[in-house]
Amino acid sequence: MRFESAGVSLGGRPVLADLHLSLAPGESVGVAGPNGSGKTTLVRTAATLVKPDAGSATVLGIDPVDDDPREVRASIGLIGHQPALIAELTLAENLTHVARLADIDPSRVARALEVVGLTDAADRHAKACSFGMQRRVEIAYLLLTRPRLLLLDEAAAGLDESARDLIGALVRSVRDRGGGAIVVSHDRAQLVSLCDRVLRLESGRLEATS
Amino acid sequence: MRFWRQALEIARVDLTVEQRVGSTLRITVPFAVVALMVFPLSLGLRLSLVSEVGVGIFWAVGILFGMQVALRQSANDSIQRRDLQALLGVDPAARFVGRLMSGATLTIAFFLVMLVSMAVLFDPDVPEGGWPVLTLVSILVAFGLTELGTLAGEVTTGLSSRTTLASLIVAPMALPLVIGASQSVEALPQDTGILPWVLLLIASDLALAVAGVALARPLEEATR
């Protein structure tokens, strides 16, 4: 993934400016920054869900502005601020739904739930589960889809230590497969432990910190 | 094949959620039937008049509440869920078709319940051979309303005033459906025939289906 002088505006307001960011295979980059600095927009831009309106961008070999981003989206995994579960479905049903939409064998769901420690809660409705449990299901999504580009936006916020360990393991497994990860967090210690380098986003501009 | 698998999966999950929440069956249908019952009271309980205008009341109540069913179904999508579907490689057109399948199932069921309720409550003056026509027209109207609701849901995704805006989009665009529905029943006892009005409904439904599928992809990108 590479952004060169990229800029993003939302509703006419510039959010990211003169963005230079590259992510090599097997690399993970941490991004810290205050609230409102554009971290979520950066993640959504890397996920091809928001298009840059200035500069150039390449994500998994395509230009998300000129090419059809749907070609690569299935290779991108994202955990955002809010869990994307369907409240009325059980945890197992949520995962099976994801597997079916992504053409993945639904028989892998049980194993994914086991890895994230939710086998006993598989038949519980998502709306009856804690935030942490819902986050674990999202980690299980990514175990099923095995993305090449992993994007975590405050994914570890509010999680217990074992869930944070799962996120760490997820980042390492993506890197080991030759993929890349961008991890956004306020927790600088976590970024330093998970990432090859840590950048700081301040008022829409990235700065190297280490 | 993947397109249809995705569409069927989205429809299956929508209907599962509806089965568990029951917003159409347990909330909208009872309210709509009560609305049907209240109308004769406003006419002073003159049974002959109620029989005469019964079909008109059915269309008014059915279309108003049918819009609610169609819009409620399409308003289920959150930004997070749409992002997830995009990153799973779900074709936006497949999502539109899936939403249409589940929404149409509910809206058609709603109209059929309303039709039976109207027959029981009003004993309306329906000409010979009119009930099959009313049933067919109800299904066509329900399908068209669902298409409008699904399209409006796609256009207004992520907006804070979504429900208000979606209603404002659906109401004027439902006019061909309202005209086709009322005129097809009006034309029954006359020699003019119902074919032009049924064709109007079919043409509206087809045009909305084509527009929905064709616009699904550009709309998904434009509404992010």
Side-chain angles (χ1 to χ4, degrees), chain A residues 18 30 42 44 51 67 88 96 107 116 128 138 140 168 179-180 189 194 199 204 209:
Chain A
D18 197 26
L42 171 66
R44 287 175 58 80
K51 291 183 179 180
D67 301 329
E88 294 79 11
T96 304
S107 66
V116 298
E138 293 206 302
L194 277 180
L199 305 173
T209 60

Side-chain angles (χ1 to χ4, degrees), chain A residues 75-91:
Chain A
S75 300
I76 300 172
L78 166 69
I79 297 184
H81 287 266
Q82 295 294 324
L85 273 65
I86 300 171
E88 294 79 11
L89 298 186
T90 66
L91 301 187

Side-chain angles (χ1 to χ4, degrees), chain B residues 146-186:
Chain B
T146 311
E147 288 173 318
L148 277 174
T150 311
L151 257 173
E154 294 285 321
V155 171
T156 57
T157 296
L159 299 177
S160 54
S161 53
R162 182 178 196 182
T163 43
T164 311
L165 194 58
S167 308
L168 291 174
I169 291 171
V170 170
M173 289 182 76
L175 273 180
L177 302 173
V178 177
I179 292 169
S182 59
Q183 292 306 307
S184 58
V185 180
E186 283 287 309

Side-chain angles (χ1 to χ4, degrees), chain B residues 188-202:
Chain B
L188 262 179
Q190 298 161 10
D191 293 334
T192 49
I194 62 161
L195 192 61
W197 303 112
V198 172
L199 284 178
L200 171 67
L201 290 172
I202 292 173

Side-chain angles (χ1 to χ4, degrees), chain B residues 69-81:
Chain B
V69 176
L71 285 173
R72 190 189 295 252
Q73 194 61 18
S74 66
N76 284 342
D77 264 352
S78 64
I79 291 282
Q80 291 80 17
R81 199 167 152 193

Side-chain angles (χ1 to χ4, degrees), chain A residues 23-28 60 75 146-150 171-182 196:
Chain A
L23 185 68
E27 188 184 24
S28 58
L60 295 174
S75 300
R146 295 168 62 86
R148 285 165 57 204
L149 174 58
L150 177 65
V171 172
R172 282 188 289 277
S173 76
V174 170
R175 282 166 43 178
D176 293 346
R177 290 200 306 271
I182 295 180
D196 299 308

